[in-house]
Amino acid sequence: MTLEARALGPDLARGFMLLFIALANSHYFLRGSSVLGGYPRDGSGVDAAAIWLISTFVDGRAFPMFGLLFGYGVAQIVRRHEELGPRRVRRLLWRRAAVLVVVGFLHAVLLFAGDILAAYGVLLLLGAWLVRWKDRWLLLTALLFFALISLPSDGSLTISSDPPGASMLPPDVATMVVERAKTSAFVSLFGPIGFITPFAVGLWAGRRRILEQPESHRALLRVTASVGIGAAVLGAQPISLMLAGVVTPPDQPTLEVLGPLHDATGTLGGFGYAALLSLIAARVQARPRPVVDAIAAVGQRSMTCYLAQSVVWAAVFTPFLLDLSDTLTVTTTAVLAVMTWLVTVLLASWMRRAGRRGPFEALIRRVTYSSTGSRPAGPPSPPSPSSPDTVASSRL
């Protein structure tokens, strides 16, 4: 598929999602006299405001959006290759999953212990069986796992008081490899449990082409955007105000309720963000849109841009490199995250104009379609801002 044939909505959502992921990931590297929810608690008033903003609008909201878009893209792959038959499509998805697992593991060990690519690879190994499920079973599965993540638990990152460990800030290369390998294995095996709900909903939405044909689903998208984002903002407040130092942390049993509440409403927020960006894409579809196209270019190269962020985190925070975990604050780290995202926007926009795919997108396509004979040949042409997009993305 050439990039000019891609729908704007899913790519725009992916592009913005990577800004949120940068903000969500970077503050977990910071040290402090005490840490709660990944935030040092000894910052300034400006830091407290930044903590409130990020924990309200970003933390626990970006990754459900990632999962929704991942499932949506899988549904697009299945539809485009339906003529291959269920078995060959399943093998195609398994090859894609294998690339995610391998690249994700290397990413975790060499750059960033919080990698999610391997977890999504494992999810796709299992999810390849879900693509043939009827809609009602997909939605019931999504509802079941949503209920599970809503149960009281001390496993939410939003209530963790652990400082960054050796896997995040390794003192040397040997420790880095050993600790991150263990962390990657743990996240890959248990992470998919929390991603099943958005993945299943994404499969359901992808079958209906909801994000790529927003004009036909405007009412649903508006309700999803308003209810999802509203629930995410309201549901975040007990934790966000606590993390910002506005209210005193409650006792542990209460925290074990509030943490999952933050996470569960964040899943709804991820759905809401995807719906909102799809509606925005519909409004700007026929207009000149250099900024929108640049952000969508990030979405078209999301795997490459995601990995590029980790190069920055590794260089800036690793103790045997720049080691700025004690120097940067929540605010300056957020600025670093935004600047990193902006650099990937410029890089992706340049590749779009040059008609080039991201290197990791090219890799995953080459492996995925190696034996199907259906892989599009040659690099894509730069998309025309005025041409309507009618086919959805099938990539991360």
Side-chain angles (χ1 to χ4, degrees), residues 75-339:
Q76 299 306 98
I77 294 175
V78 173
R79 186 173 68 239
R80 290 208 334 267
H81 297 90
E82 199 164 9
E83 73 281 358
L84 297 176
R87 289 186 180 180
R88 293 185 67 187
V89 169
R90 192 158 52 242
R91 293 191 190 106
L92 181 151
L93 295 176
W94 283 339
R95 285 195 295 274
R96 195 178 192 86
V99 177
L100 291 175
V101 170
V102 172
V103 173
F105 177 78
L106 294 175
H107 172 228
V109 170
L110 300 177
L111 295 173
F112 177 48
D115 165 78
I116 58 170
L117 293 178
Y120 274 100
V122 172
L123 176 61
L124 185 54
L125 287 172
L126 303 174
W129 296 98
L130 273 63
V131 299
R132 297 293 171 184
W133 284 15
K134 293 182 178 180
D135 289 344
R136 65 175 178 270
W137 291 114
L138 282 178
L139 295 179
L140 283 172
T141 299
L143 184 61
L144 171 62
F145 279 89
F146 182 79
L148 287 176
I149 67 171
S150 304
L151 294 175
S153 168
D154 62 355
S156 172
L157 286 176
T158 61
I159 61 175
S160 171
S161 59
D162 295 331
S167 62
M168 291 292 285
L169 298 175
D172 52 63
V173 174
T175 302
M176 178 181 77
V177 172
V178 172
E179 293 298 321
R180 288 183 175 176
K182 292 189 292 187
T183 300
S184 178
F186 180 84
V187 173
S188 298
L189 290 175
F190 295 99
I193 296 173
F195 302 148
I196 289 177
T197 292
F199 177 78
V201 173
L203 283 176
W204 174 85
R207 289 175 179 177
R208 284 157 178 73
R209 310 182 73 171
I210 290 174
L211 299 183
E212 63 200 280
Q213 296 177 348
E215 301 86 356
S216 302
H217 305 278
R218 200 177 297 273
L220 173 62
L221 290 170
R222 284 174 175 169
V223 170
T224 302
S226 57
V227 173
I229 296 174
V233 171
L234 291 175
Q237 292 317 298
I239 290 292
S240 297
L241 293 173
M242 179 190 71
L243 294 175
V246 177
V247 299
T248 302
D251 55 25
Q252 187 62 27
T254 304
L255 278 178
E256 291 178 3
V257 173
L258 296 180
L261 172 66
H262 186 278
D263 297 342
T265 55
T267 298
L268 302 179
F271 298 166
Y273 283 142
L276 176 62
L277 289 163
S278 184
L279 289 169
I280 292 172
R283 288 184 64 88
V284 304
Q285 189 73 57
R287 305 176 188 176
R289 53 190 202 207
V291 174
V292 169
D293 282 339
I295 296 172
V298 175
Q300 293 164 1
R301 298 158 181 85
S302 55
M303 188 173 180
T304 295
C305 293
Y306 170 67
L307 295 171
Q309 292 181 5
S310 296
V311 174
V312 176
W313 312 151
V316 170
F317 295 112
T318 302
F320 52 85
L321 295 176
L322 294 180
D323 192 18
L324 297 183
S325 293
D326 288 317
T327 304
L328 296 179
T329 65
V330 172
T331 303
T332 54
T333 301
V335 171
L336 173 65
V338 173
M339 296 301 295

Side-chain angles (χ1 to χ4, degrees), residues 46-78:
V46 175
D47 289 330
I51 289 171
W52 181 84
L53 287 169
I54 296 172
S55 58
T56 294
F57 296 100
V58 176
D59 287 347
R61 282 97 183 106
F63 292 107
M65 187 176 170
F66 190 115
L68 175 77
L69 294 170
F70 183 66
Y72 196 99
V74 170
Q76 299 306 98
I77 294 175
V78 173

Side-chain angles (χ1 to χ4, degrees), residues 359-378:
F360 286 95
E361 284 69 31
L363 169 66
I364 198 169
R365 287 170 66 84
R366 188 177 304 117
V367 175
T368 299
Y369 301 110
S370 60
S371 64
T372 66
S374 60
R375 177 168 56 93

